[in-house]
Amino acid sequence: MWNEKIEKMSREEIRALQSERLVAQVKRMYEKVDLFRQRMDEKGLKPSDIKGVEDLSKLPFSYKSDLRDYYPYGLFAEPMSKIVRVHASSGTTGKQIVVGYTENDLGMWSECVARMLTEIGADNNSFVQVSYGYGLFTGGLGAHDGATKIGATVIPISTGNTKRQIQTMIDFGTTVLCCTPSYALYLGEEIEAMGVKDQLKLKAGIFGAEPWTEDMRKAIEDKLNIKAYDIYGLSEIMGPGVACECKEQAGMHVWEDMFIPEIIDPDTCEVLPEGASGELVFTTLTKEGFPLIRYRTRDICSLNYEPCKCGRNHVRMRKPSGRSDDMLIIRGVNVFPSQIEEVLIKVSEGDITPNYQIIVDRVNNNDTLDVNVEMSETMFTDEIEAVEKVEKKITEMLRSTLGIGAKVHLVNPKSITRSEGKAKRVIDNRKLH
Amino acid sequence: MNIKQLSIFVENKPGRAYAIAEALSNNNINLSALSIADTSEYGIMRVIVDDPEKAKKILQEAGVMVKITDVIAIPMDNSPGSLTKILKILTDADISVRYMYAFVNEHKGGAVLVTKTGNNDMAVAELSKFGISTLDNDNLF
Ligand SMILES: [Zn+2]
């Protein structure tokens, strides 16, 4: 194990550490984050009311909309002079959300990833190919820093150019691959087609940032001749590595020295009993730059507190089975239907927003996004060039708003099926759960 | 003189154009000219009918996106060079042609050129200088 002392803690030790850290975090945030202090005051709570994890459920929730309302730096708990990096991801509207990290935060993040890499057999002799996107997205740099921490040789190839990815695996002797599961499957198929499977030294892969099934895991393991491990994270809480699978492949261990997970009923907001399925909520215990208390992830899953055969007692979360909101994960990117609606509102220039429908599918292991838009008075003219211009404008605005490409189809008015007068906004034909 | 053209959005799906033509003929709308400009996914059908307002209503009720557009209809005799002559007049006057199509008008015994220009009123005025009088919706049928 990378950090045996922490990773092998008993439930009692974990709980004691969490209590100590929670009390300190609440006190710190009450002093430094205006929104948190306001919400505590509204509830009539003082930091001294929080004496340990048993008081967690008294604390106010935080929401993704907070990140939009206090964009960009309004929720940071350290001055910008202490912030050494920012990452960003999609918000529910056109505006992205931004998070910040102190040097210590980056250290804790790489610690999480280092624990996972060590668990799956990687060490300073490993070659870790990071085929996640590098940039504001947390995937690339998150895996990169973790691999650096264990002393592995990092191959920071980022996404794209499949032939070069495969040639690099062969030439550089890649042993661990990090990318999205759908891309892993695609790579596996290309490798089969090229007939170079026996030239690979791959042993394991860490795949995350999008939902995937056990069938996909089997297919990836078979095609790449590796063990495929799941990783979970979200930029608001840290990035990939908040929870990681161990060799048992039986749920992802949440690193409870840094995060407290809770499962709540998304409607009543009550904490649910152990093992129940509900919305996952996270509290960060060690984050300095951008700490959050009881953050509503909107992911639906359950927690398993049974000791794991791997020797760890850190709680295991099941793969999320869905969302309590309408967020879609397409090619690893978070997409909200409201972002698409916002583009159409802009295009219709104050007139009635046209009806639309989002169709997501997976073709050859690649997510596809199609947006059907009903033709409206403002968009239609008698000249084909003008209509094509509108179509192109929507396509370009969607690309810049969502960060991924969408195929736009202009369709007849009232042709999108409505049930009870309301158009069904999203059709997801992928079978991911 | 401008005439009224129906501009209709048509998805490139089997039967869409037929459904539009059928809706019009079922309501005794007389259709005298038709052209389609299209991309791989959709097209714009442009038609000249005897009662554009009524036709528009019928199509709207059938869930079709339709607009009425002003175009000009120019009679052409059957002599060679009549199209060239019209285009030269417009070009010399620096009037752009957005689109054009032609049809044979049986009753009047000649062809009719339908066009939308950058400035229809100016086009009508220029053509009349050369003795060409444009048609209106009534004398097309
Ligand atoms: Zn385990």
Side-chain angles (χ1 to χ4, degrees), chain A residues 246 248 253 308-312 316:
Chain A
C246 63
E248 301 298 322
H253 289 283
C308 182
K309 281 182 198 148
C310 70
R312 290 180 187 81
R316 280 170 288 163

mmCIF file of all heavy atoms in Angstrom, chain A residues 246 248 253 308-312 316, ligand 1:
data_model
loop_
_atom_site.group_PDB
_atom_site.id
_atom_site.type_symbol
_atom_site.label_atom_id
_atom_site.label_comp_id
_atom_site.label_asym_id
_atom_site.label_seq_id
_atom_site.Cartn_x
_atom_site.Cartn_y
_atom_site.Cartn_z
ATOM 1 N N CYS A 246 -10.206 -1.041 -5.651
ATOM 2 C CA CYS A 246 -9.019 -1.815 -5.291
ATOM 3 C C CYS A 246 -9.015 -3.070 -6.155
ATOM 4 O O CYS A 246 -9.853 -3.231 -7.026
ATOM 5 C CB CYS A 246 -9.055 -2.171 -3.807
ATOM 6 S SG CYS A 246 -10.452 -3.227 -3.364
ATOM 7 N N GLU A 248 -10.015 -5.897 -5.601
ATOM 8 C CA GLU A 248 -11.231 -6.712 -5.482
ATOM 9 C C GLU A 248 -12.287 -6.323 -6.523
ATOM 10 O O GLU A 248 -13.215 -7.085 -6.785
ATOM 11 C CB GLU A 248 -11.834 -6.567 -4.074
ATOM 12 C CG GLU A 248 -10.908 -6.983 -2.942
ATOM 13 C CD GLU A 248 -10.527 -8.458 -3.022
ATOM 14 O OE1 GLU A 248 -11.398 -9.266 -3.380
ATOM 15 O OE2 GLU A 248 -9.355 -8.778 -2.728
ATOM 16 N N HIS A 253 -13.338 2.630 -3.030
ATOM 17 C CA HIS A 253 -13.052 3.150 -1.695
ATOM 18 C C HIS A 253 -13.001 4.670 -1.735
ATOM 19 O O HIS A 253 -12.240 5.248 -2.512
ATOM 20 C CB HIS A 253 -11.676 2.636 -1.209
ATOM 21 C CG HIS A 253 -11.664 1.175 -0.871
ATOM 22 N ND1 HIS A 253 -12.192 0.690 0.293
ATOM 23 C CD2 HIS A 253 -11.190 0.090 -1.538
ATOM 24 C CE1 HIS A 253 -12.034 -0.637 0.338
ATOM 25 N NE2 HIS A 253 -11.426 -1.034 -0.772
ATOM 26 N N CYS A 308 -13.294 -4.480 3.559
ATOM 27 C CA CYS A 308 -13.029 -5.048 2.233
ATOM 28 C C CYS A 308 -11.941 -6.123 2.337
ATOM 29 O O CYS A 308 -11.066 -6.041 3.199
ATOM 30 C CB CYS A 308 -12.591 -3.939 1.284
ATOM 31 S SG CYS A 308 -12.278 -4.474 -0.393
ATOM 32 N N LYS A 309 -11.997 -7.097 1.461
ATOM 33 C CA LYS A 309 -11.002 -8.172 1.449
ATOM 34 C C LYS A 309 -9.582 -7.644 1.231
ATOM 35 O O LYS A 309 -8.607 -8.308 1.558
ATOM 36 C CB LYS A 309 -11.329 -9.180 0.344
ATOM 37 C CG LYS A 309 -12.446 -10.142 0.730
ATOM 38 C CD LYS A 309 -12.678 -11.141 -0.398
ATOM 39 C CE LYS A 309 -14.039 -11.810 -0.270
ATOM 40 N NZ LYS A 309 -14.607 -12.154 -1.573
ATOM 41 N N CYS A 310 -9.483 -6.431 0.663
ATOM 42 C CA CYS A 310 -8.159 -5.872 0.390
ATOM 43 C C CYS A 310 -7.488 -5.397 1.676
ATOM 44 O O CYS A 310 -6.315 -5.026 1.663
ATOM 45 C CB CYS A 310 -8.261 -4.716 -0.590
ATOM 46 S SG CYS A 310 -9.034 -3.245 0.104
ATOM 47 N N GLY A 311 -8.246 -5.374 2.802
ATOM 48 C CA GLY A 311 -7.666 -4.946 4.071
ATOM 49 C C GLY A 311 -7.997 -3.519 4.440
ATOM 50 O O GLY A 311 -7.555 -3.023 5.479
ATOM 51 N N ARG A 312 -8.781 -2.852 3.603
ATOM 52 C CA ARG A 312 -9.152 -1.461 3.908
ATOM 53 C C ARG A 312 -10.557 -1.421 4.511
ATOM 54 O O ARG A 312 -11.408 -2.237 4.177
ATOM 55 C CB ARG A 312 -9.119 -0.611 2.634
ATOM 56 C CG ARG A 312 -7.730 -0.376 2.091
ATOM 57 C CD ARG A 312 -7.768 0.481 0.826
ATOM 58 N NE ARG A 312 -6.438 0.563 0.227
ATOM 59 C CZ ARG A 312 -5.925 -0.380 -0.546
ATOM 60 N NH1 ARG A 312 -6.632 -1.463 -0.839
ATOM 61 N NH2 ARG A 312 -4.711 -0.249 -1.039
ATOM 62 N N ARG A 316 -16.897 1.867 0.744
ATOM 63 C CA ARG A 316 -16.921 1.697 -0.711
ATOM 64 C C ARG A 316 -18.226 2.231 -1.288
ATOM 65 O O ARG A 316 -19.303 1.955 -0.757
ATOM 66 C CB ARG A 316 -16.792 0.211 -1.070
ATOM 67 C CG ARG A 316 -15.351 -0.290 -1.014
ATOM 68 C CD ARG A 316 -15.295 -1.790 -1.139
ATOM 69 N NE ARG A 316 -15.782 -2.444 0.081
ATOM 70 C CZ ARG A 316 -16.152 -3.727 0.132
ATOM 71 N NH1 ARG A 316 -16.123 -4.469 -0.955
ATOM 72 N NH2 ARG A 316 -16.565 -4.250 1.269
HETATM 73 ZN ZN ZN C 1 -10.810 -2.965 -1.168
#
